[in-house]
Amino acid sequence: MTETDTALAQWRIMKIDGFMGLVGPLLKSKHPEDRNLYGLQTNEMHKNAIGIVHGGVITSLLDQVIAIEAWNAADRQPTVTVQMDTRFLGAAKAGDFLETRAKIRHATRSLMFVDADVTCGTTPIANATAIMKISQKAGQTND
């Protein structure tokens, strides 16, 4: 077993259909104290023309993790991204393992304000702030 295999044993694969399934797999930490920590093992398919991880991969990772955390905080009601502002702070290369964490900063009955970070080891790669709308389940209103 390689060092990478040993490190990845601390994570579980999340089953996500659609676009993120193509980018991922998205991983979730198995450690209880890191319940809102997610990971992505990058590879050659994630790089852009200059050889670093494409910004679209990073923003997709941020958006997915923000959505999962908002969904959990909204008692698993659907949530959609209204706005997401991303700041790129560093670069990651193909093969880097990215960790992402999101935190609900504030919530109202219909909106959530969420902060998230992407790091590679101790190096900051990007951070984002997002506004998430809590969607209605059939028969419900968010008045």
Side-chain angles (χ1 to χ4, degrees), residues 11-17 20-21 24-29 35 37-39 64-65 68-69 71-72 76:
W11 300 83
R12 70 174 173 84
I13 294 175
M14 296 187 70
K15 304 273 190 229
I16 299 176
D17 293 331
M20 198 60 201
L26 183 64
L27 306 170
K28 185 168 174 55
S29 176
R35 73 179 204 284
L37 181 63
Y38 300 83
Q64 183 67 61
V65 170
I68 291 169
E69 288 299 308
W71 177 71
N72 282 324
R76 298 188 170 196

Side-chain angles (χ1 to χ4, degrees), residues 64-136:
Q64 183 67 61
V65 170
I66 287 168
I68 291 169
E69 288 299 308
W71 177 71
N72 282 324
D75 295 324
R76 298 188 170 196
Q77 292 184 79
T79 59
V80 294
T81 307
V82 173
Q83 178 180 338
M84 186 172 88
D85 297 318
T86 305
R87 290 152 302 279
F88 294 97
L89 309 170
K93 62 186 182 311
D96 282 347
F97 186 78
L98 303 179
E99 292 185 355
T100 306
R101 187 183 307 269
K103 181 180 178 187
I104 308 300
R105 180 173 13 101
H106 180 72
T108 68
R109 290 187 338 192
S110 62
L111 296 174
M112 290 191 178
F113 301 83
V114 188
D115 300 320
D117 298 292
V118 176
T119 58
C120 179
T122 59
T123 303
I125 302 299
N127 64 32
T129 55
I131 301 170
M132 303 298 288
K133 172 81 172 149
I134 302 168
S135 297
Q136 298 176 22

